Amino acid sequence: MTRDLFADATQGSPLREDLCPGAVVLRGFALAKETHLLASINEITAAAMFRHMLTPGGFRMSVAMTNCGGYGWVTDGKGYRYATTDPLSDQPWPAMPDVLLQLASAAAKDAGFADFTPDACLVNRYEAGARMSLHQDRNERDFTQPIVSVSLGLPAIFIFGGMRRNDKPVRVPLLHGDVVVWGGPARLRYHGVLALKPGRHALAGECRINLTFRRAG
Ligand code: MD6
Ligand code: FE
């Protein structure tokens, strides 16, 4: 799946798509930094490798994860939480590279959330078949802060529901370079990702990488 960057000038595919009050997709917002972002992700994963964490119920997550920044999101038999160190190494998570911080802050600003300074970046790697079931993001302290989510590599279908688990979700295709900003009245909406279709992306290879930035502490 590709997108014609110039389509916007003539028809369809607006660069900014409101999903609901508080949630917006900024199409292609990360494209200009794609090479720099992927190089930074390689540095992060060299220091804190991707791993399949266990849910509190003992299931292995199909998405491989790592983190950068002062706080990292982790899950194991003890539950979901933020931790200042990588449980594999007991070392602090790698620092958040400036290119990531600047991108997240600029996207939040564009979406109407000034002064977003994330202290946590969860790095998700989806390979063919990996998925994320419907969930709310509620391990953060301050729900007035938005979440910024950057998609790189293979396309995926994001499912975006309501405030209750049973609210019927809409499907939102997310492509390489798309950024979703999510906060305010949308902050606690249920969401997830459908199983990734196999494929190969010219820069990222046979996977999708998602970065989600939060203010955790
Ligand atoms: C993903 N994203 O896109 C998973 N959460 O791989 C999320 O769970 C998410 O994209 C909160 C806000 C935006 C997101
Ligand atoms: Fe989430």
Side-chain angles (χ1 to χ4, degrees), residues 10-210:
T10 49
Q11 54 170 317
S13 181
L15 292 182
R16 184 190 186 89
E17 291 171 22
D18 289 307
L19 296 177
C20 72
V24 61
V25 185
L26 306 174
R27 294 289 181 193
F29 192 91
L31 276 182
K33 297 279 183 216
E34 57 183 3
T35 313
H36 199 169
L37 291 168
L38 288 166
S40 295
I41 291 163
N42 281 335
E43 287 178 18
I44 292 161
T45 60
M49 67 161 86
F50 280 121
R51 79 290 307 261
H52 294 271
M53 298 185 194
L54 295 180
T55 67
F59 294 99
R60 174 187 188 266
M61 295 189 76
S62 60
V63 178
M65 298 178 168
T66 187
N67 293 278
C68 67
Y71 294 87
W73 187 87
V74 296
T75 173
D76 58 21
K78 290 185 286 186
Y80 303 121
R81 63 194 179 278
Y82 282 95
T84 56
T85 55
D86 178 349
L88 290 184
S89 65
D90 286 327
Q91 294 297 116
W93 297 103
M96 197 182 303
D98 233 37
V99 61
L100 271 66
L101 188 64
Q102 298 300 331
L103 178 78
S105 169
K109 190 172 177 195
D110 237 49
F113 299 96
D115 305 317
F116 176 57
T117 43
D119 58 12
C121 173
L122 173 63
V123 186
N124 290 321
R125 184 188 67 198
Y126 294 73
E127 292 180 313
R131 57 188 285 274
M132 194 171 294
S133 54
L134 213 57
H135 67 278
Q136 290 174 299
D137 287 20
R138 53 182 321 147
N139 297 119
E140 300 75 26
R141 198 164 290 165
D142 178 1
F143 294 146
T144 70
Q145 292 283 334
I147 294 175
V148 173
S149 161
V150 177
S151 293
L152 296 168
L154 291 175
I157 307 288
F158 191 58
I159 52 172
F160 180 68
M163 299 296 287
R164 289 168 306 182
R165 184 177 288 280
N166 290 329
D167 292 339
K168 187 180 160 60
V170 296
R171 293 175 171 217
V172 184
L174 292 180
L175 308 189
H176 176 74
D178 289 348
V179 177
V180 183
V181 183
W182 172 295
R187 183 63 179 71
L188 290 175
R189 283 200 180 228
Y190 279 88
H191 58 280
V193 179
L194 297 185
L196 195 84
K197 294 237 168 75
R200 177 187 301 273
H201 183 271
L203 295 180
E206 295 180 357
C207 67
R208 168 179 185 256
I209 305 281
N210 169 263

